[in-house]
Amino acid sequence: MRAVAYSIRSFEKEPLAKANHKKHDITLISNPIGLETVEYAAGKEAVIISADDHVSEAVMIRLADLGVRFITIRSKNADNIDHVTASKLNIKIAVVTIPAGAPVTGPEFVLHQYEIAASTVRNLDSWQESRNITDITENISMSNNSIIPAKTGNQ
């Protein structure tokens, strides 16, 4: 699968490369996703974003125009994505499935980055292999914005 990862920080590069095992063609950029940078998604099927990225309606529409069908977020929370527009445009969204409580330093932090990377790549794998992945846009209660993480076929 061809993907672009936005807002990549230096400590995320190695874990993502190792988790990917050269299966997917992932372009890594440090810029956040936005109207100025959405063009990096041209020719890609998926975008990988961080919790700090904001995917507005305008960005979502442009992603769809560019052919993007999937968004995976390197977070358990996807409040920064316009889910209504994603649903209308049939763009699937997945979050990472990792334990809560992100460590900020030390060996636990490094392990946490590898867990995030592995879960991100599993989402790409699932989409590429056409497994039945739960689209969290279908699991949002508009009254309380509760979100259910994506599930892959092997969970």
Side-chain angles (χ1 to χ4, degrees):
M1 177 167 284
R2 294 175 318 279
V4 58
Y6 287 90
S7 299
I8 291 291
R9 296 173 297 242
S10 59
F11 59 81
E12 294 177 298
K13 291 178 182 179
E14 182 179 330
L16 191 55
K18 286 186 176 182
N20 186 36
H21 299 293
K22 298 184 180 183
K23 289 185 281 185
H24 304 285
D25 178 11
I26 303 174
T27 302
L28 306 177
I29 62 171
S30 60
N31 305 72
I33 194 169
L35 288 175
E36 307 80 25
T37 60
V38 72
E39 297 304 317
Y40 291 124
K44 310 295 186 193
E45 301 162 280
V47 296
I48 303 166
I49 64 169
S50 78
D52 297 327
D53 286 312
H54 179 72
V55 184
S56 65
E57 177 182 20
V59 170
M60 191 70 67
I61 290 169
R62 186 64 188 128
L63 286 171
D65 289 345
L66 292 170
V68 171
R69 300 177 306 155
F70 309 104
I71 297 173
T72 185
I73 182 169
R74 301 183 313 272
S75 173
K76 292 185 80 151
N77 183 345
D79 291 342
N80 54 335
I81 299 173
D82 181 340
H83 296 279
V84 173
T85 303
S87 182
K88 288 178 185 175
L89 298 171
N90 200 28
I91 294 177
K92 306 242 182 283
I93 299 170
V95 298
V96 295
T97 53
I98 55 169
V104 293
T105 61
E108 295 84 12
F109 176 78
V110 173
L111 179 60
H112 187 71
Q113 294 307 312
Y114 279 91
E115 291 171 341
I116 291 170
S119 184
T120 298
V121 171
R122 278 193 304 272
N123 287 335
L124 296 177
D125 290 344
S126 294
W127 285 325
Q128 183 171 342
E129 296 169 10
S130 299
R131 289 186 185 161
N132 182 22
I133 188 164
T134 302
D135 178 358
I136 65 171
T137 58
E138 297 170 1
N139 294 309
I140 296 175
S141 166
M142 291 303 173
S143 61
N144 65 8
N145 283 339
S146 61
I147 296 174
I148 298 171
K151 295 184 182 356
T152 59
N154 58 2
Q155 286 184 334

